[in-house]
């Protein structure tokens, strides 16, 4: 009978081309049982004309058992040899033929390809039916026919069904293993995607936080630096020093309050609210102008842009804030021109100032005074709102141009793609300040 180790659905690739221990043990088992049956004279009578070959049973048995031991490398060839040796043993009356035919069917169904396995299963059913029907027509004996049917079922049908069940179980286990591997791979992919998304959100949150801290504190600290510098440059002007100290205190208190407000919102997990509006811009420019900077500001928006949404106003406010800081660091001797207007259905913010040649010492000091995130923050804010941002340094002029799409309808605003035609309205708001 087949050994327990013969129930694998396939022959392992690394064991092809050599004898497997379980196959060798099975072959020796078949040889020993057959030898014992012959020693006990438990044999059948040879068919007519084959009695003279009865003594050849050891040779035929050896060939059949060798095919069982060597079936690993070549399944079909070994199965054919087992079948031929088994039929030859049955013809000369040796019961060992039943074992070889049993093992031949078992091998084809379990180890053969899918098509061979299915054909063998169907073939055993057809062969059993034909043998049973043929025996009845030949002998006319129901007892002999039933006996042959039982023997055929045990030798042909039993190994086919047994091997088929084992094969299906192994295939199901293999399918479940592949499914489990696919599920594990999908879970790993999801975990990796979630980790990547978490990292992306973390980077985005860090970037937003850095930008918010920069925008909130840079203006205050820059104003403090400018006011203190102006006071130190004219130590004999007590009025200027007093005004500067008052402004420094105001900016320090406001900066601390804004920082505390931001920290409270971060602790609560609330989103940061847009800070700054267009009505705060004149005071912001006045703050920098008081330190001696030349700044001109023109607001040509309808109603000075009061109808703009809070996010757009905050973006413009912080962009002007950053522009003023950069101007105070890099070109304080020149004049900064800032303007707001409608342009083809968008709010246009423009700022320009002449570039000033610097010595290497001044360039090093200016570079050390900033973080390099100001223009990047302006570009990022513009991109988030679906606008465009451009910086140019042509004709000895540093210029910044920002276009933000309108989210609010203005009575005199042109639709996107058309030039705006201002209607009757009050004069643009202007702030012009020079050095004290």
């Amino acid at each position: 009978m087949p050994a327990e180790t013969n129930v694998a659905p396939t022959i392992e690739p690394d064991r092809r081309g050599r004898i497997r221990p379980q196959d060798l043990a099975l072959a020796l088992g078949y040889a020993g049982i057959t030898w014992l049956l012959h020693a006990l004279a438990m044999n059948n009578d040879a068919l007519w004309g084959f009695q003279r070959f009865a003594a050849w049973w050891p040779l035929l048995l050896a060939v059949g058992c060798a095919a069982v031991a060597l079936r690993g490398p070549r399944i079909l060839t070994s199965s054919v040899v087992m079948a031929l040796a088994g039929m030859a043993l049955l013809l000369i009356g040796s019961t060992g033929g039943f074992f070889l035919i049993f093992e031949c069917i078992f091998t084809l169904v379990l180890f053969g390809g899918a098509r061979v396995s299915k054909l063998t299963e169907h073939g055993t059913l057809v062969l059993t039916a034909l043998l049973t029907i043929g025996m009845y027509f030949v002998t006319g004996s129901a007892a002999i026919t039933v006996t042959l049917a039982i023997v055929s079922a045990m030798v042909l049908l039993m190994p086919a069904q047994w091997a088929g069940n084992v094969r299906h179980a192994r295939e199901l286990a293999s399918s479940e293993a592949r499914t489990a591997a696919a599920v594990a791979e999908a879970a790993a992919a999801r975990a990796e995607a979630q980790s990547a998304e978490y990292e992306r959100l973390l980077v985005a949150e860090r970037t937003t936080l850095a930008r918010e801290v920069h925008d909130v504190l840079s203006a205050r600290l820059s104003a403090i630096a400018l006011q203190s510098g102006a006071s130190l440059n004219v130590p004999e002007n007590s009025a200027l020093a007093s005004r500067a100290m008052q402004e420094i205190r105001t900016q320090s208190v406001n900066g601390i309050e804004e920082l505390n407000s931001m920290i409270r919102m971060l602790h609560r997990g609330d989103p940061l609210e847009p800070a700054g509006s267009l009505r705060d811009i004149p005071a912001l420019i006045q703050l920098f102008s008081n330190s001696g900077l030349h700044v001109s500001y023109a607001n040509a928006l309808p109603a000075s842009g009061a109808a703009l949404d809070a996010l757009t106003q905050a973006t413009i406010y912080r962009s002007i804030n950053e522009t003023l800081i950069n101007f105070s660091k890099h070109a304080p001797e020149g004049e900064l021109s800032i303007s707001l207007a409608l342009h083809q259905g968008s709010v246009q913010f423009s700022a320009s100032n002449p570039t000033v040649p610097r010595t290497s010492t001044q360039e090093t000091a200016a570079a050390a005074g900033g973080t390099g995130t100001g223009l990047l923050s302006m570009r990022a804010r513009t991109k988030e709102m679906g606008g465009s941002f451009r910086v140019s340094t042509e004709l000895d002029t540093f210029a910044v141009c920002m276009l933000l799409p309108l989210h609010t309808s203005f009575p005199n605003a042109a639709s996107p793609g058309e030039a705006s035609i201002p209607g009757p309205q009050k004069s643009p708001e202007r702030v012009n300040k020079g050095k004290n």
Side-chain angles (χ1 to χ4, degrees), residues 263-313:
I263 293 174
R264 284 194 296 270
M265 284 190 292
L266 291 174
H267 274 301
R268 293 195 302 267
D270 297 335
L272 296 174
E273 297 293 335
S277 63
L278 296 187
R279 67 175 177 270
D280 300 325
I281 293 176
L284 178 64
I285 294 177
Q286 185 69 41
L287 175 64
F288 281 83
S289 298
N290 287 341
S291 63
L293 299 179
H294 286 290
V295 182
S296 65
Y297 169 62
N299 185 347
L301 296 174
S304 298
L308 290 176
D309 60 278
L311 182 58
T312 301
Q313 293 195 42

Side-chain angles (χ1 to χ4, degrees), residues 8-337:
T10 56
I11 301 297
E12 298 85 344
D14 60 335
R15 306 189 73 171
R16 292 183 181 274
R18 60 181 181 178
I19 299 177
R20 299 193 309 162
Q22 56 266 42
D23 291 338
L24 179 60
L26 184 62
L28 295 177
Y30 284 148
I33 294 175
T34 303
W35 198 281
L36 178 61
L37 292 176
H38 275 271
L40 297 176
M42 299 177 65
N43 302 315
N44 298 322
D45 295 330
L47 294 181
W48 181 83
F50 290 93
Q51 292 89 346
R52 56 182 173 174
F53 301 109
W56 288 18
W57 69 267
L59 177 62
L60 295 174
L61 180 62
V63 172
C65 290
V68 173
L70 298 173
R71 66 180 175 181
R74 294 177 177 80
I75 297 297
L76 292 179
T77 302
S78 299
S79 299
V80 171
V81 174
M82 280 187 271
L84 293 176
M87 287 187 291
L89 286 173
L90 291 177
L91 290 176
I92 63 176
S94 175
T95 53
F98 291 113
F99 303 136
L100 295 180
I101 293 176
F102 185 105
E103 192 61 34
C104 170
I105 295 173
F106 190 90
T107 300
L108 288 175
V109 175
L110 183 58
F111 299 124
R115 186 176 180 182
V116 172
S117 176
K118 188 61 65 177
L119 288 176
T120 303
E121 286 192 77
H122 293 166
T124 56
L125 289 173
V126 174
L127 183 58
T128 300
L130 291 178
L131 289 175
T132 302
I133 295 173
M135 181 59 68
Y136 181 77
F137 279 106
V138 171
T139 64
S141 171
I144 297 177
T145 302
V146 171
T147 301
L148 179 63
I150 293 174
V151 173
S152 299
M154 295 181 63
V155 177
L156 301 177
L157 296 182
M158 181 182 293
Q161 293 301 314
W162 183 5
N165 291 337
V166 173
R167 183 186 183 102
H168 295 159
R170 296 300 186 188
E171 289 176 349
L172 179 60
S174 177
S175 176
E176 291 177 348
R178 289 194 299 270
T179 301
V183 170
E185 184 177 354
R190 283 197 303 271
E192 184 176 354
Q194 290 173 354
S195 178
E197 179 66 12
Y198 173 78
E199 289 296 329
R200 186 190 68 80
L201 293 176
L202 188 61
V203 171
E205 189 66 22
R206 264 201 319 263
T207 303
T208 301
L209 182 58
R211 189 172 61 198
E212 294 294 333
V213 172
H214 173 271
D215 291 348
V216 167
L217 296 182
S218 60
R220 304 295 182 188
L221 297 178
S222 296
I224 291 173
L226 290 172
Q227 294 293 336
S228 60
S231 177
L232 291 175
N233 289 333
V234 191
E236 68 279 0
N237 191 337
S238 59
L240 177 60
S242 177
R243 189 170 66 246
M245 291 302 296
Q246 181 61 37
E247 189 63 36
I248 289 173
R249 172 174 172 75
T250 301
Q251 295 303 322
S252 301
V253 171
N254 292 340
I256 292 173
E257 180 57 33
E258 289 177 350
L259 183 60
N260 288 336
S261 176
M262 179 182 295
I263 293 174
R264 284 194 296 270
M265 284 190 292
L266 291 174
H267 274 301
R268 293 195 302 267
D270 297 335
L272 296 174
E273 297 293 335
S277 63
L278 296 187
R279 67 175 177 270
D280 300 325
I281 293 176
L284 178 64
I285 294 177
Q286 185 69 41
L287 175 64
F288 281 83
S289 298
N290 287 341
S291 63
L293 299 179
H294 286 290
V295 182
S296 65
Y297 169 62
N299 185 347
L301 296 174
S304 298
L308 290 176
D309 60 278
L311 182 58
T312 301
Q313 293 195 42
T315 301
I316 296 174
Y317 174 84
R318 293 192 173 185
S319 298
I320 292 178
N321 176 25
E322 184 58 38
T323 301
L324 290 168
I325 295 172
N326 288 341
F327 174 66
S328 67
K329 292 177 181 178
H330 302 286
E333 301 299 326
E335 181 176 353
L336 174 64
S337 298

Side-chain angles (χ1 to χ4, degrees), residues 208 211-212 215 273-276 278 301 305 307-320 340 345-349 376-389 402-408 410 416:
T208 301
R211 189 172 61 198
E212 294 294 333
D215 291 348
E273 297 293 335
L278 296 187
L301 296 174
L308 290 176
D309 60 278
L311 182 58
T312 301
Q313 293 195 42
T315 301
I316 296 174
Y317 174 84
R318 293 192 173 185
S319 298
I320 292 178
L340 297 176
S346 298
V347 178
Q348 177 178 286
F349 159 63
L376 294 178
S377 295
M378 295 170 65
R379 187 183 300 275
R381 290 184 184 278
T382 306
K383 183 178 180 182
E384 288 174 0
M385 297 188 62
S388 61
F389 181 82
M402 175 190 294
L403 286 176
L404 300 176
L406 278 174
H407 299 287
T408 304
F410 283 108

